[in-house]
Amino acid sequence: MQKEAKIAEATARETALARVPNGSVKSSELEREKGKLIYSYDITVPGKTGVEEVNVDAMTGKVIATEHESAKTEKKEAAKEAKKTAPKK
């Protein structure tokens, strides 16, 4: 998927961090969501619980979504992702 992206990951990361003052990237991934190739960043902010999820379009470099995820929501999402990527028996 990286070859399909027109925007470099470093550029997308800077864009995401610009949306969350004092934030630092906890995790990131390049994924296809609703037919779009996006960089998804979970950004933590000192003194705040949960994470800010910022999605950057890998083709245009524009922020297409930002959402606050509580620690509980984040845990649910991580479990759902693990299920998706777990090897099938």
Side-chain angles (χ1 to χ4, degrees):
M1 280 195 283
Q2 189 65 54
K3 287 181 182 176
E4 293 177 53
K6 292 193 167 144
I7 303 300
E9 192 277 334
T11 304
R13 179 180 293 254
E14 281 179 34
T15 301
L17 284 170
R19 284 291 176 106
V20 186
N22 304 315
S24 59
V25 175
K26 177 182 173 187
S27 66
S28 65
E29 66 179 317
L30 178 61
E31 62 184 334
R32 199 169 300 280
E33 198 170 277
K34 297 177 187 161
K36 285 190 173 202
L37 190 61
I38 63 165
Y39 290 104
S40 178
Y41 296 95
D42 285 346
I43 301 174
T44 57
V45 178
K48 276 184 139 182
T49 59
V51 297
E52 297 298 323
E53 181 179 2
V54 180
N55 295 333
V56 179
D57 189 307
M59 303 309 247
T60 66
K62 290 188 163 82
V63 173
I64 53 175
T66 57
E67 180 185 346
H68 179 78
E69 291 183 347
S70 67
K72 190 177 180 181
T73 308
E74 189 184 358
K75 208 174 199 177
K76 270 188 195 173
E77 193 173 279
K80 193 169 132 186
E81 280 294 315
K83 236 182 187 178
K84 261 202 294 189
T85 57
K88 293 193 169 113
K89 293 180 182 179

